[in-house]
Amino acid sequence: MPETARLQLGDKAIDLPIVVGTENERALDIGALRAQTGYITLDEGYRNTGSCQSAITFIDGEEGILRYRGIPIEQMAEHSSFIETAYLLIWGELPTENQFNTFSDLLTKHQNLHEDIRHHFDLFPSNSPPMAVLSAVLNALSCFHPEMLEIEDDNSFQEAAARIMAKVRTIAAYSYRHANGFPTIYPHPDKKYTANFLHMMFSQPYKEYEPDPELVKALDLILLLHADHEQNCSASTVRMVGSSGANLFASVAAGVCALWGPLHGGANVAVVDMLEEIRAAGMSVKEFMQQVKNKKNGIRLMGFGHPVYKNFDPRSRIIKKTCENVLARLHLKDPLLELAEELEATALQDEYFVQRKLYPNVDFYSGVILRAIGIPHSMFTVMFAIGRMPGWIAQWQEGRFVSKSRIHRPRQIYTGPTQRVYTPIDKRG
Ligand code: CMC
C-alpha cells in the first residue's frame, strides 16, 4: 500500500502523505498543500473532508455500522444505559462499578440549578422555542460557574462534564414547566437520570409521577442511541467553537443551536408534523410520495436520507422495534405509527428512494415513540440534545486536549466583485 499519493499540478508534483485509520479508512493529508502549491481544496459541505482524527465513534455508512469507542450500537442498546454510555464516550472505556458510582454521584450532586438561574426562565415568553431556551441557559451556566471557564486538568474537566450532563435535563424540564405555567419540580436525589427527568417534567407538587419502568427504559434507550455520531453538523460546531479556546458551556450551547435545524435534530419534530399533515389533509401515501418525488415546494420525506448512511441507519432499526414494543405494552394504536410504516414500506420499494439510497434515519420513528412516552412535540429536539450531550463533551475534550487542534479556520474561493471604487451615496443608483 503506498504511503503517499502524488498530485501533479502543471509541471509541479507534490507527494501527499496517506493517513490510515484503525478501520482502514484512508485520507490524503493536504496539510502542506497551500504552502507548497498555492492551491486549496474545495469541498462544499465537507463530504470529502476529514476535519480531525478521532477515536470516539466509528460509522460505516455503506454497511450501516455504528460503534461507540469500538462497541457496536446494537450491543450498547441491549446491555448498557445512557449514563454508562456517556461515561464510555467521554472517558474512552466502560466504567468499573466504582467509576460508574462516582460519576452517578457527581451527576446527583450537580443536578440542581443555582436558584438565580431558575428566575431566568421567567424572562422568556411562554411560547419560546425550547431549543432557544436550552441554548441560552446552557451558555448562562458559565456566569454561575466561572471557575469552570478554564479547564486545565482531568478533575476540572470531569466536574464540568458532570455539571453539564446533570443540568441539561433540569434546564430542559424547567423550560417545559415554565412554558406551561406549571410549578417547578426540583430533581430528586434518589431517582436515576432518565426517571428523574420524567419526574421533573410530569410530577406535581401534590402528586408524584410514577412512570412505567418500560417507558423509562425506552426513553433511556433513545438517549443512548443519540449519544454520539462523529463529525455531524452539531459536533463539528462544538469542536469548531472549542478550537477558539471557548469554554465547554459556550461550545455545547452552540451545538444546541446547530442541532435545532430541521435537516439535523429538528427532523424528529418535522417527521411528526409531516405525518399529522398527511392525515389532516386526508392524503394517501401514494399522493404524498408523488409530491415528494415531484420535489413540489421542496417537500421531502422527513426522517429519510442521511449524509453518511447509504444503507439502513442502525439506530432506526432499534428505535422502530422499541416503538412497536412500547405501543404494544401500552395497548396503544397510534395511527401515526401505521402511517410511518406505510410510508417506509412504500419508499423502500420506490425507484426514487432506492436509486438515491435513502433509508429511514434515527428521526423517522423517534417522534412516534416520544409521543407514546408523553414527551410533548415541542420538546422532541430537546430530547435529542440531552442525548447528544456526552458526544459533544467527548468531541470538545478530544479536540482541545487530545489532538490539541489548531483554531479551525477553513478558507474559501472568493467569487465576489474584483477591486472597485467606493461611490459616495449621492452618486449611487
Ligand atoms: N426526501 C426526498 N428526497 C430526498 C430526501 C428526502 N428525505 N433526502 C434526500 N433526497 C434527495 C434530494 O432531493 C437529492 O435528489 P437529487 O439527486 O434529485 O437532487 C438527493 O436525494 C440527495 O440529497 P442531498 O440533499 O444532496 O443529500 P444530503 O446527503 O445532502 O442530505 C439529509 C442529507 C439528511 C439532509 C437529507 O436526506 C434530508 O433532507 N432528509 C430529511 C431530513 C432528515 O430526516 N434529517 C435528519 C438526518 S439524521 C439525524 C441527524 O443526524 O441529524
Side-chain angles (χ1 to χ4, degrees):
M1 196 52 64
E3 285 173 3
T4 56
R6 175 148 290 205
L7 178 67
Q8 188 79 40
L9 289 165
D11 56 5
K12 192 166 181 172
I14 66 159
D15 289 328
L16 303 173
I18 293 177
V19 179
V20 184
T22 50
E23 290 286 349
N24 219 15
E25 292 169 302
R26 277 145 206 283
L28 303 179
D29 178 349
I30 56 155
L33 180 67
R34 186 166 177 278
Q36 290 187 11
T37 67
Y39 281 70
I40 60 168
T41 56
L42 183 60
D43 181 23
E44 270 187 44
Y46 314 124
R47 296 304 167 85
N48 301 282
T49 298
S51 60
C52 59
Q53 296 190 48
S54 178
I56 303 170
T57 291
F58 172 70
I59 300 176
D60 182 331
E62 274 70 36
E63 297 296 328
I65 292 172
L66 168 60
R67 298 186 198 131
Y68 290 159
R69 299 281 189 184
I71 305 177
I73 191 69
E74 294 79 6
Q75 289 180 27
M76 293 304 293
E78 191 177 343
H79 303 296
S80 189
S81 65
F82 175 56
I83 293 306
E84 188 183 62
T85 300
Y87 189 101
L88 170 72
L89 287 168
I90 298 173
W91 283 285
E93 293 295 338
L94 287 168
T96 61
E97 203 171 339
N98 214 1
Q99 289 166 330
F100 183 82
N101 291 339
T102 306
F103 186 44
S104 296
D105 290 348
L106 263 184
L107 295 179
T108 305
K109 178 174 153 202
H110 292 309
Q111 63 190 352
N112 280 296
L113 301 181
H114 189 295
E115 211 41 28
D116 289 347
I117 299 183
R118 204 163 64 78
H119 299 306
H120 276 56
F121 292 92
D122 299 338
L123 304 175
F124 293 110
S126 59
N127 59 352
S128 302
M131 288 294 273
V133 177
L134 183 65
S135 171
V137 179
L138 276 170
N139 204 12
L141 285 180
S142 56
C143 311
F144 292 84
H145 305 286
E147 73 286 4
M148 300 271 102
L149 297 187
E150 299 294 332
I151 294 178
E152 300 297 350
D153 53 40
D154 279 358
N155 270 351
S156 51
F157 171 66
Q158 168 148 322
E159 282 284 319
R163 273 197 166 86
I164 293 177
M165 284 285 304
K167 290 182 196 307
V168 63
R169 76 202 141 141
T170 314
I171 297 169
Y174 280 17
S175 76
Y176 165 72
R177 304 287 300 188
H178 177 262
N180 288 281
F182 300 145
T184 305
I185 300 292
Y186 289 86
H188 195 298
D190 298 335
K191 289 190 190 293
K192 291 197 188 307
Y193 193 90
T194 305
N196 215 345
F197 171 71
L198 290 171
H199 161 68
M200 288 188 274
M201 287 283 289
F202 301 125
S203 284
Q204 296 297 350
Y206 48 85
K207 191 168 190 290
E208 187 141 318
Y209 172 73
E210 280 168 15
D212 182 328
E214 287 301 316
L215 291 190
V216 179
K217 213 167 132 199
L219 184 56
D220 199 76
L221 177 66
I222 297 264
L223 298 177
L224 180 159
L225 292 173
H226 285 84
D228 193 49
H229 214 231
E230 51 116 307
Q231 307 312 317
N232 56 81
C233 177
S234 56
S236 300
T237 301
V238 170
R239 282 184 94 119
M240 166 85 81
V241 174
S243 79
S244 75
N247 67 75
L248 185 55
F249 300 110
S251 303
V252 299
V256 170
C257 295
L259 186 73
W260 190 357
L263 299 186
H264 192 9
N268 57 12
V269 177
V271 170
V272 171
D273 284 345
M274 171 190 79
L275 297 172
E276 280 174 345
E277 278 162 26
I278 297 173
R279 268 178 58 81
M283 205 186 293
S284 70
V285 164
K286 203 167 158 213
E287 280 171 304
F288 178 72
M289 287 304 214
Q290 207 46 57
Q291 288 192 2
V292 171
K293 291 192 285 179
N294 292 346
K295 299 184 190 274
K296 191 182 156 209
N297 306 325
I299 293 177
R300 287 191 166 196
L301 177 57
M302 299 309 283
F304 255 70
H306 196 278
V308 177
Y309 292 118
K310 300 303 166 196
N311 194 327
F312 258 91
D313 176 340
R315 302 167 300 174
S316 77
R317 284 199 158 123
I318 301 169
I319 291 189
K320 181 180 180 190
K321 195 157 162 264
T322 310
C323 192
E324 288 165 351
N325 292 346
V326 165
L327 293 183
R329 177 170 176 95
L330 296 176
H331 305 293
L332 277 180
K333 248 176 116 48
D334 187 343
L336 295 196
L337 174 63
E338 286 165 22
L339 177 56
E341 285 177 332
E342 207 184 325
L343 284 166
E344 179 191 349
T346 309
L348 294 179
Q349 302 288 328
D350 193 300
E351 204 42 33
Y352 175 96
F353 293 88
V354 174
Q355 252 181 15
R356 290 170 177 78
K357 301 191 174 157
L358 301 171
Y359 290 88
N361 60 47
V362 67
D363 293 313
F364 196 63
Y365 287 105
S366 64
V368 179
I369 190 167
L370 288 172
R371 259 161 67 94
I373 294 169
I375 304 294
H377 182 241
S378 61
M379 294 289 287
F380 286 2
T381 314
V382 171
M383 300 314 301
F384 193 151
I386 298 174
R388 185 52 58 86
M389 199 51 76
W392 288 336
I393 293 171
Q395 299 284 350
W396 183 90
Q397 195 267 354
E398 185 176 63
R400 280 288 281 279
F401 297 116
V402 182
S403 48
K404 296 190 172 57
S405 74
R406 303 165 81 185
I407 186 166
H408 291 198
R409 179 40 172 103
R411 285 184 172 265
Q412 63 168 13
I413 296 294
Y414 174 70
T415 58
T418 51
Q419 183 171 328
R420 54 189 174 145
V421 174
Y422 176 84
T423 315
I425 195 162
D426 57 338
K427 302 265 171 17
R428 291 176 212 160

